């Protein structure tokens, strides 16, 4: 099925109670769940975000490992995450939601300190200088993440891109943020949290097939 057909099916033929698709205008005017995610999930469990979740494998995988946390995958392309949303509904996972929105709006989607942890999985490294503003670990994005995270909240970056890995490490060191853990090959190095790092996404599988190493950084913003 082509992606256009998938989107059509996603939009018209199925009811996804775990998907929220607010318009940018609605978000900017005051998003209904900002500060009220506990009412969406019906509990006060910690909230874990996956930014640029694609098909949602990490969001669903983390939610299976941590049923006592609520997991929200965010992506601008809803046609991708319908798969994860469907899996979560079929498996009666009430700790999963997907949000179709821009990551740039994350501090309008969540209140200060409302999020306990963030995962950034295989973001486009945006290597060209003029694309720096779109790089998901640039200083502007880090400030947005800091706003919505609980004090000491963890951020995890998993990427095949040596460029993205090096850029982020350099930036964190330069800005004096805390690097909790870092390695160049999550499947060879010991000490990484293996169970959660073993979740593999669509993009990760493509990179692994090409023989690329998968790198990981876990950090805190001071
Ligand atoms: C390279 S894909 C990785 C997808 C998934 N994490 C994986 O590993 O398979 C990057 C994803 O980030 C999403 N994305 C990129 N920039 C975004 C933004 N500014 N706001 C929301 N989603 C974005 C894209 O739509 C895409 O699904």
């Amino acid at each position: 099925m082509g992606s256009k057909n998938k989107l059509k099916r996603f939009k018209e033929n199925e009811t996804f109670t775990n998907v929220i698709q607010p318009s940018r205008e609605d978000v900017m005017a005051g998003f209904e769940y900002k500060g009220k995610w506990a009412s969406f999930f019906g509990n006060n469990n910690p909230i874990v975000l996956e930014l640029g979740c694609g098909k949602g494998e990490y969001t669903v995988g983390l939610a299976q490992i941590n049923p006592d946390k609520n997991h929200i995958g965010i992506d601008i392309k809803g046609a991708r995450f319908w798969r994860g949303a469907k899996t979560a509904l079929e498996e009666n996972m009430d700790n999963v939601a997907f949000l179709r929105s821009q990551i740039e709006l994350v501090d309008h989607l969540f209140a200060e300190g409302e999020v306990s942890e963030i995962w950034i999985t295989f973001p486009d490294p945006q290597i060209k200088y003029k694309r720096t503003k779109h790089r998901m670990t640039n200083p502007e994005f880090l400030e947005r993440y800091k706003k919505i995270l609980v004090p000491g909240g963890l951020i995890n970056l998993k990427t095949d891109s040596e460029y993205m890995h090096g850029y982020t490490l350099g930036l964190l060191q330069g800005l004096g943020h805390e690097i909790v853990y870092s390695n160049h090959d999550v499947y060879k190095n010991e000490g990484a949290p293996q169970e959660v790092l073993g979740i593999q996404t669509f993009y990760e599988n493509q990179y692994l097939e090409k023989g690329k190493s998968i790198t990981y950084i876990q950090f805190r913003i001071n």
Side-chain angles (χ1 to χ4, degrees):
M1 192 187 286
S3 63
K4 274 191 185 151
N5 286 340
K6 272 186 205 161
L7 181 59
K8 199 171 168 199
R9 181 173 144 210
F10 175 67
K11 276 185 171 169
E12 294 171 9
N13 298 341
E14 298 191 43
T15 308
F16 285 80
T17 50
N18 57 0
V19 169
I20 305 164
Q21 304 189 70
S23 68
R24 185 186 171 89
E25 292 70 36
D26 285 350
V27 171
M28 297 312 285
F31 180 52
E32 61 178 311
Y33 290 114
K34 181 178 176 180
K36 295 179 187 140
W37 281 97
S39 71
F40 178 87
F41 287 106
N43 59 55
N44 280 309
N45 289 347
I47 292 174
V48 180
L49 300 186
E50 183 191 4
L51 305 179
C53 66
K55 292 174 190 274
E57 296 95 338
Y58 237 93
T59 296
V60 172
L62 287 172
Q64 284 163 339
I65 294 171
N66 296 301
D68 53 345
K69 293 181 183 173
N70 296 322
H71 298 263
I72 303 173
I74 304 180
D75 204 294
I76 196 61
K77 294 184 181 159
R80 291 198 172 163
F81 63 53
W82 70 268
R83 185 183 294 275
K86 195 166 192 293
T87 302
L89 284 181
E90 283 169 356
E91 296 186 11
N92 295 316
M93 300 173 71
D94 54 10
N95 63 334
V96 173
F98 287 93
L99 189 48
R100 185 179 195 177
S101 193
Q102 285 175 292
I103 294 153
E104 286 80 352
L105 301 182
V106 79
D107 51 335
H108 296 275
L109 296 164
F110 298 90
E112 277 185 35
E114 196 172 21
V115 172
S116 74
E117 187 169 347
I118 291 176
W119 282 78
I120 306 170
T121 52
F122 301 91
D124 185 331
Q126 307 283 6
I127 288 170
K128 287 187 182 161
Y129 179 72
K130 65 179 181 190
R131 300 288 300 171
T132 310
K133 67 175 180 194
H134 298 291
R135 214 171 286 151
M136 279 172 53
T137 54
N138 75 27
E140 288 76 27
F141 275 111
L142 294 185
E143 279 307 307
R144 290 188 185 108
Y145 306 155
K146 182 179 175 177
K147 250 177 151 175
I148 62 167
L149 276 167
V150 294
L154 289 169
I155 303 179
N156 304 272
L157 170 68
K158 202 177 174 193
T159 175
D160 63 297
S161 166
E162 275 297 330
Y163 179 83
M164 185 77 181
H165 183 79
Y167 165 82
T168 305
L169 270 185
L171 194 75
L172 295 173
Q173 282 159 353
L175 294 172
H177 298 313
E178 181 190 353
I179 297 162
V180 179
Y181 188 89
S182 157
N183 78 32
H184 280 267
D185 189 336
V186 290
Y187 299 113
K188 284 197 185 135
N189 291 313
E190 291 183 357
Q194 285 303 337
E195 192 184 14
V196 288
L197 285 176
I199 301 166
Q200 289 174 348
T201 69
F202 177 76
Y203 275 83
E204 175 168 358
N205 283 322
Q206 290 193 334
Y207 299 133
L208 286 171
E209 274 171 27
K210 289 181 187 158
K212 292 184 94 174
S213 296
I214 305 303
T215 72
Y216 174 62
I217 310 173
Q218 186 177 64
F219 61 97
R220 288 192 179 94
I221 307 171
N222 293 325

